[in-house]
Amino acid sequence: METELSRELGIEHAIFGFTPFPAVAAAISRAGGFGVLGAVRYTDPQELARDLDRLDELADGKPYGLDVVMPAKKVEGVTEADVEAMIPDAHRGFVQELLTRYGVPGLAEGEASGWRITGWMEEVARGQLDVAFDHPIKLLANALGSPPADVIERAHAHGILVAALAGSAEHARRHAAAGIDVVVAQGYEAGGHTGEIGSMVLVPEVVEAAAPLPVLAAGGIGSGEQAAAGLALGAEGVWLGSLWLTTEEADLHSAALTRKLLAAGSGDTVRSRALTGKPARQLRTAWTDAWDDPAGPGTLPMPLQGLLVAEAVSRIQKYEVGELLGTPVGQIVGRMTSERSVQQVVDDLTRGFERAVTRINRIAGRSAT
């Protein structure tokens, strides 16, 4: 699975694996792919520094990248406390009523919420970058469009490629104009924040709009055959996220959540604003149903929703409240039926890719090479 982009980055397979777990990112890189560590959960730059040190050790010198959530436009002088003050009391009451209805215990006295979506904030994201540029990352990806121009310049000065996610051809054109190096075409099927266009339609549109920039296909890819389809549509590689959640190296801290993922089918996800305020695909639960119910107060815009539900999500995860327990995940969850090592996943992907190429060559009357 070599492409021009994979050769530029020095990896064996054009498989890019997004994950919040350093051990998974390192294992993807060791297996010949390209691990990308998600940074949004790191509110403390020193915690990120420790995990990047660990990733450096585990990756055995193999290249890897970092994914941040950084808005292109800067908002001056706004603190987390300022944003918290904007949350209506009615929404706080709705959260409390849900937690009471399902018997979710509170956190211990003095225990802080372990789940915070604050990596979107300017000062947090820039603190992450200050740490990241002290490590040998080879790719910086941004999940909220193109990062600010000075960040792109700084990354390029360190010899780091910059990638940005796109849910439409227009997004891709804006990325190209901003000086991005790689565009990730993320289809409707993907987990987490995603747009409304399916991958089969989106990938070739983005390839055309972003040309000559390389494009990675994302969303609904969980097999080598699907990876081959992405490359056949013009992509230079595939970007996978959900598939790594049930690997042996993943650290979900919840056996109940792992069981839910392994049991879920491709129709058991929903694109909801319940988690962050932006449409994000996740497991459908009583939590998402309550927020999507027209009788409720409705979700708040990002970042208010993420701050509103942070403690509640921590409590649900800590006490493994089954009816409410969920996580961002794509429709490919239906293929995630057993726990496997990262190496096994990569081996399955490459074997499936070879099968697809052999089949197409046979249909075309050519011998596989």
Side-chain angles (χ1 to χ4, degrees):
M1 293 183 64
E2 285 190 356
T3 66
E4 185 175 339
L5 179 61
S6 70
R7 286 190 287 272
E8 180 179 356
L9 289 169
I11 58 177
E12 184 179 358
H13 309 301
I15 298 170
F16 294 73
F18 167 83
T19 174
F21 308 117
V24 175
I28 293 168
S29 293
R30 288 199 310 272
F34 190 91
V36 181
L37 179 66
V40 71
R41 68 186 179 91
Y42 293 97
T43 58
D44 179 1
Q46 293 311 307
E47 183 185 355
L48 176 61
R50 287 191 296 271
D51 276 2
L52 287 175
D53 286 341
R54 182 181 175 216
L55 209 166
D56 289 339
E57 295 174 3
L58 294 174
D60 292 340
K62 302 294 185 181
Y64 68 88
L66 189 73
D67 180 278
V68 297
V69 178
M70 193 173 195
K73 295 181 179 179
K74 181 176 181 178
V75 179
E76 298 282 359
V78 177
T79 67
E80 185 175 334
D82 294 331
V83 178
E84 289 265 17
M86 301 176 191
I87 298 173
D89 290 340
H91 283 74
R92 295 187 187 278
F94 183 72
V95 171
Q96 187 54 53
E97 189 277 327
L98 273 176
L99 296 174
T100 301
R101 187 194 315 171
Y102 289 94
V104 182
L107 297 176
E109 185 176 351
E111 183 179 359
S113 167
W115 189 92
R116 301 292 280 177
I117 293 294
T118 54
W120 52 267
M121 295 188 70
E122 180 78 11
E123 67 269 23
V124 175
R126 287 189 178 274
Q128 293 168 347
L129 294 176
D130 289 340
V131 166
F133 289 136
D134 287 335
H135 292 263
I137 65 172
K138 299 300 182 185
L139 178 77
L140 176 67
N142 191 45
L144 281 183
S146 304
D150 68 295
V151 171
I152 297 174
E153 293 174 5
R154 190 176 174 192
H156 286 166
H158 283 80
I160 298 169
L161 296 181
V162 180
L165 273 65
S168 70
E170 180 55 33
H171 293 165
R173 283 189 282 270
R174 290 204 294 264
H175 294 336
I180 294 298
D181 304 295
V182 181
V183 178
V184 181
Q186 181 168 276
Y188 174 81
E189 309 94 324
H193 296 129
T194 185
E196 299 180 351
I197 305 173
S199 297
M200 187 63 70
V201 173
L202 179 67
V203 173
E205 287 186 350
V206 170
V207 167
E208 180 178 350
L213 297 181
V215 171
L216 301 177
I221 300 174
S223 71
E225 288 84 356
Q226 290 164 324
L231 269 61
L233 293 173
E236 286 268 331
V238 291
W239 176 281
L240 313 178
S242 300
L243 198 61
W244 316 106
L245 288 173
T246 53
T247 56
E248 294 170 357
E249 292 89 346
D251 190 12
L252 285 177
H253 297 294
S254 173
L257 181 54
T258 297
R259 289 194 296 270
K260 288 191 76 170
L261 288 169
L262 294 175
S266 57
D268 291 329
T269 68
V270 63
R271 191 167 164 268
S272 171
R273 298 177 185 268
L275 197 60
T276 68
K278 283 184 175 291
R281 186 169 299 285
Q282 55 204 278
L283 282 179
R284 182 177 180 179
T285 65
W287 176 264
T288 61
D289 286 348
W291 281 105
D292 295 338
D293 188 340
T299 57
L300 297 170
M302 189 180 194
L304 299 181
Q305 183 71 15
L307 292 172
L308 168 66
V309 304
E311 181 182 324
V313 171
S314 286
R315 288 163 62 180
I316 292 165
Q317 292 176 344
K318 177 178 179 178
Y319 299 108
E320 298 188 326
V321 183
E323 291 170 292
L324 303 179
L325 188 62
T327 187
V329 70
Q331 292 179 333
I332 202 63
V333 70
R335 295 188 64 94
M336 297 156 51
T337 57
S338 64
E339 291 187 70
R340 298 176 291 167
S341 69
V342 167
Q343 183 67 63
Q344 288 174 316
V345 172
V346 172
D347 288 345
D348 285 348
L349 287 168
T350 56
R351 282 194 293 264
F353 180 83
E354 290 171 357
R355 287 194 299 269
V357 171
T358 299
R359 180 172 184 272
I360 294 301
N361 278 325
R362 185 170 63 248
I363 291 172
R366 303 189 185 100
S367 299
T369 57

